[in-house]
Structure formats: structure tokens, C-alpha cells
Amino acid sequence: MTDLDKIMANLPTPEEIEADKAERRAALIAATASGLFACATDITAMNKERGVEDGAHILLEGAALFVAQLYEGVHRGMGKTPKQARELLEKAVKDALMNVRRVAQAAEDAAEEQEGATIQ
């Protein structure tokens, strides 16, 4: 085995590089969502202090408006048309909903497994 073979054997494969990128991206997305959730919690508390009765609905509609405007603005800045931005937003929302369902199902499965282990 030559020195070059040894070096090449220690380099990550393209699949490993892609997996690492996906993991880092998922971690950044989760951190962003966590930060935005903290902001939403603050907004909810502020609405409650001001006596806003339908604060939760206002928060949801405001968040939806923010996301739509953000998507359109960012994608228009990238040269996309408003239609393309809406299509990308729809896909992102679907992906996010699927991810939320997947996480909820995993938590439910873990709880059932824990409950089953406790019974035995």
C-alpha cells in the first residue's frame, strides 16, 4: 500500500460528506426553529399581558404572514418568480409538517416502548 493509498483510505467518501452536510443542516434548522419558538413564546406572553383574547390565532396568522413574506423576499432576491417562491414555500411547509409528524410518531413510539418495558 502506497502513501497515497493510505491517504485516500482516510478521506471521507462522498456519501459521508453528504450525510454530514445533512446532519449539520438539520441541526441548524432545529436551532432556528427553537429560536423562533422562543420569540413566539415572548409574543404570546406580551399579548396576554395586553389582554388580547385571540392572541394564539393572531400569533399563528402573523407567523404565517412572516414566513410567506420571508420566502418571497429571499427567493426574489435569488432571482425566482413569486410563483416559484410560493411553490418552494408549499414544499417547505409540507416537508416541515411531515417532519413534525415523524417526530411526534417517534415520541409516541418511544413512550409506548417505555410503557411496555415498565409493565414487564
Side-chain angles (χ1 to χ4, degrees):
M1 183 178 254
T2 67
D3 289 339
L4 182 58
D5 291 334
K6 290 177 186 175
I7 291 170
M8 294 300 289
N10 288 326
L11 293 176
T13 65
E15 293 82 14
E16 291 171 332
I17 292 170
E18 283 302 313
D20 187 48
K21 283 182 186 177
E23 286 177 22
R24 280 187 278 139
R25 179 177 164 80
L28 289 171
I29 289 170
T32 300
S34 179
L36 291 171
F37 192 77
C39 290
T41 302
D42 292 344
I43 291 168
T44 301
M46 182 183 66
N47 279 338
K48 191 178 273 190
E49 288 173 5
R50 293 182 178 177
V52 177
E53 291 181 24
D54 56 347
H57 290 358
I58 290 172
L59 175 67
L60 290 174
E61 289 180 26
L65 178 61
F66 166 74
V67 168
Q69 289 173 337
L70 179 66
Y71 243 82
E72 186 166 329
V74 169
H75 285 292
R76 283 185 118 182
M78 293 169 47
K80 306 258 189 240
T81 66
K83 181 182 179 195
Q84 289 170 322
R86 283 191 301 273
E87 289 168 351
L88 290 167
L89 173 59
E90 288 172 7
K91 182 187 179 318
V93 169
K94 287 177 185 175
D95 290 347
L97 288 172
M98 285 177 34
N99 189 33
V100 167
R101 289 180 188 132
R102 193 176 357 199
V103 169
Q105 185 63 47
E108 190 176 303
D109 292 346
E112 287 177 3
E113 190 174 299
Q114 181 70 23
E115 187 176 298
T118 305
I119 292 173
Q120 293 175 354

